[in-house]
Amino acid sequence: MAEFATELTAITTIDQTEALVLGVESTDDGPVVVAAGLDENAVTGIQDQLEALGVKGKADEVTRIAGSTTGFDAKIVVLTGLGSTEAPAQGTPMLDNSPAGEISAEALRRAAGAATAKLAGTAEITMALPADSAARLTAIAEGAVLGTYSFAGYKTQQDNGEEDQTNGVDLKIVTELADADKLLARATAVARATFITRDLVNTAPSHLFPGTFAQEVEALVENSDVTATVYDEAALAEGGFGGLLGVGQGSSNPPRLVKLEYTPNNAKGHIALVGKGITFDTGGISLKPAGSMETMKSDMAGAATVAGVLHAVAELGLDVNVTGWLAMAENMPSGTGIKPSDILTIRGGTTVEVMNTDAEGRLVLADALVAATEENPDVVVDIATLTGAAMVALGVRTTGIMGAEDVRSELADAAATTGEIVVDIPIPEEARAGFDSNVADLKNTGERYGGMQGAAAFLREFVGDTPWAHLDIAGPSFNESSPRGYTAKDATGAMVRTLIEFVANRDN
């Protein structure tokens, strides 16, 4: 994984800088410059140029102008669109809990990220966006850092001679807040966790399979307060993890289960996080169409998210006991792979008839959920790129939350703070009946319709009475379209920020 080398600093006055970022809000009366800590006459000079520059202030709109034409001591002045504060269309959810009629924290997060994404190779960036509250400063800091992300991957040379923008960026934010340094430290930890998740998901499956994935996670937490335990195929067999062994038996790369433990003194509770880690999903013998396999290196995004969250929780020193369970397997078709009608025995003894080998994520999660609940945590949350049905129902930017009502509500509240888009979805009473089997306790497929809720109903069978919620991130975890705001192309790190907020809210 790439080294995280972005530095965040709070400043109260603006000195010379390489790039100065100002906001532009879209209003009924036209675009308006929104800035902090700047001379009013200089801002008026920029305002007078907006029409000639064609600046509208729309979200993700970024305009660069030479600093010499502005009166500011900057090589480049960047105008980044904040969008409109008008009420959203009827039925459209607010992206965060900012007051109506004000520039939201999420709008600032997105604008900051859009600006830094267009400043690749810039070593020093000053953000003069309105950072006059903890929520706003946090959002600007997170967005600005997340916008700098790039994954160099395996190219022997960079396209067009561009520099790697992830390294050596000095980000300064204008603010008068007394606790700015603390807020920026938190934003740095959250951004670092998101980068970790993005890097893992973006890694090629030739390089990241269960064994190497486990090694990467071990190395990640080696010098932290997180302890890693890796269960290899022998330990999985001894422990009765039939779901992981079954899904992984068709691959030459055997499965792994990684347990991460963060146990601070005087912990205020115990949260278990479970992540699906299918390092590549061909569908097994129930083979996917070729086009559906192109992004299947991302089928381990749930496990990558849990790894990133545990890293941040430890870095922030939160007083909550958090255990992560990363269920890793590679789903391949071969002479040793599981077949439709095979019977697997999940940890704890529940038998499952395999009807479709492409419904494999729920099998590895079942093992991990049983192991997690055996430790009697206060709550368990699993996160997975679980169903194509989630994308059909919710699109590619929205996470579905299912499970116990109080846990769903708690996660939705955390998402309202972080600006991530979620939908709270009950599991229909009839969903479980579709998994009845004539020869086993369950089968791994249910009714054709409502597949997202059906998969959640299957998982619910393995948590007992433990309060539980399931996050389906099949859509938002991987961005196949163009970058937007602070959201990069390919891996996004969806729900990393929300799960960190969820844990932090229990540290009260």
Side-chain angles (χ1 to χ4, degrees):
M1 288 181 284
E3 180 184 357
F4 183 93
T6 302
E7 183 177 349
L8 278 170
T9 308
I11 60 174
T12 56
T13 57
I14 301 173
D15 295 321
Q16 183 181 17
T17 185
E18 188 172 354
L20 176 64
V21 179
L22 314 180
V24 180
E25 180 186 357
S26 174
T27 75
D28 290 339
D29 297 323
V32 176
V33 175
V34 178
L38 297 174
D39 179 82
E40 186 176 340
N41 292 330
V43 172
T44 301
I46 293 285
Q47 179 71 46
D48 292 341
Q49 296 185 53
L50 295 184
E51 183 177 356
L53 292 168
V55 174
K56 305 295 183 183
K58 295 179 180 179
D60 291 346
E61 177 190 73
V62 177
T63 304
R64 295 166 53 135
I65 56 179
S68 59
T69 67
T70 65
F72 295 120
D73 195 2
K75 290 177 62 177
I76 306 167
V77 172
V78 179
L79 305 176
T80 184
L82 298 169
S84 173
T85 57
E86 294 177 5
Q90 187 173 0
T92 303
M94 295 294 290
L95 291 183
D96 60 28
N97 49 16
S98 300
E102 294 186 9
I103 299 169
S104 70
E106 176 62 13
L108 290 166
R109 185 182 287 110
R110 182 169 176 173
T116 56
K118 294 293 178 68
L119 290 168
T122 304
E124 183 184 41
I125 303 171
T126 299
M127 311 294 297
L129 299 174
D132 51 357
S133 70
R136 283 183 162 188
L137 176 58
T138 297
I140 294 166
E142 288 178 353
V145 179
L146 293 177
T148 69
Y149 178 82
S150 68
F151 184 74
Y154 309 96
K155 293 183 179 181
T156 56
Q157 59 185 8
Q158 293 297 309
D159 293 338
N160 302 320
E162 288 186 356
E163 299 178 36
D164 180 0
Q165 69 189 86
T166 355
N167 294 318
V169 183
D170 183 7
L171 280 168
K172 296 180 170 64
I173 301 178
V174 181
T175 182
E176 299 283 350
L177 294 181
D179 57 349
D181 289 344
K182 180 180 179 181
L183 294 169
L184 294 186
R186 186 185 192 281
T188 298
V190 171
R192 195 189 329 271
T194 307
F195 278 32
I196 288 166
T197 299
R198 289 178 177 179
D199 277 354
L200 288 168
V201 175
N202 282 330
T203 301
S206 54
H207 293 61
L208 193 83
F209 43 88
T212 55
F213 191 3
Q215 291 169 4
E216 287 281 358
V217 173
E218 283 187 293
L220 174 67
V221 302
E222 184 176 9
N223 297 315
S224 74
D225 291 330
V226 177
T227 301
T229 303
V230 178
Y231 296 76
D232 62 12
E233 60 269 39
L236 292 173
E238 183 178 351
F241 291 93
L244 273 159
L245 290 168
V247 172
Q249 73 186 41
S251 173
S252 59
N253 296 310
R256 295 287 185 267
L257 177 66
V258 178
K259 179 183 180 182
L260 299 178
E261 297 175 272
Y262 171 69
T263 54
N265 296 327
N266 304 314
K268 297 173 184 175
H270 181 190
I271 296 171
L273 302 176
V274 175
K276 173 186 171 184
I278 302 297
T279 57
F280 194 82
D281 183 17
T282 66
I285 289 177
S286 305
L287 199 66
K288 293 178 183 289
S292 298
M293 284 192 224
E294 292 176 359
T295 61
M296 282 300 100
K297 70 176 183 180
S298 69
D299 210 19
M300 38 61 71
T305 300
V306 173
V309 171
L310 263 291
H311 187 279
V313 167
E315 184 176 352
L316 293 170
L318 299 180
D319 288 330
V320 181
N321 182 358
V322 184
T323 306
W325 298 86
L326 287 64
M328 304 171 177
E330 188 176 59
N331 189 22
M332 301 291 286
S334 75
T336 61
I338 53 173
K339 309 171 293 295
S341 298
D342 279 356
I343 304 295
L344 302 180
T345 302
I346 304 299
R347 181 175 173 86
T350 299
T351 56
V352 178
E353 181 184 13
V354 177
M355 303 304 293
N356 186 326
T357 63
D358 195 23
E360 86 298 329
R362 62 200 66 181
L363 299 173
V364 303
L365 286 172
D367 270 342
L369 285 168
V370 172
T373 55
E374 286 172 349
E375 296 188 341
N376 299 311
D378 301 315
V379 62
V380 58
V381 178
D382 76 74
I383 181 165
T385 50
L386 201 60
T387 65
M391 299 171 70
V392 173
L394 303 177
V396 296
R397 299 190 185 186
T398 301
T399 295
I401 304 178
M402 291 143 278
E405 183 176 1
D406 55 343
V407 186
R408 296 194 330 252
S409 177
E410 198 173 344
L411 286 162
D413 287 345
T417 297
T418 64
E420 297 199 89
I421 306 173
V422 301
V423 174
D424 182 344
I425 303 172
I427 302 172
E429 181 181 353
E430 66 274 14
R432 164 61 182 83
F435 292 91
D436 288 339
S437 167
N438 294 330
V439 297
D441 297 322
L442 295 165
K443 58 182 182 179
N444 77 326
T445 58
E447 298 295 335
R448 176 182 178 187
Y449 299 108
M452 174 177 56
Q453 299 98 309
F458 178 91
L459 295 177
R460 187 172 57 187
E461 295 294 303
F462 299 94
V463 298
D465 296 327
T466 304
W468 157 82
H470 161 63
L471 304 177
D472 196 327
I473 57 171
S477 65
F478 202 80
N479 176 28
E480 295 185 64
S481 61
S482 300
R484 60 182 186 275
Y486 56 85
T487 302
K489 184 172 174 58
D490 296 340
T492 66
M495 299 304 287
V496 169
R497 292 183 289 114
T498 292
L499 285 175
I500 295 170
E501 184 72 16
F502 173 75
V503 175
N505 286 343
R506 292 206 166 208
D507 182 17
N508 291 321

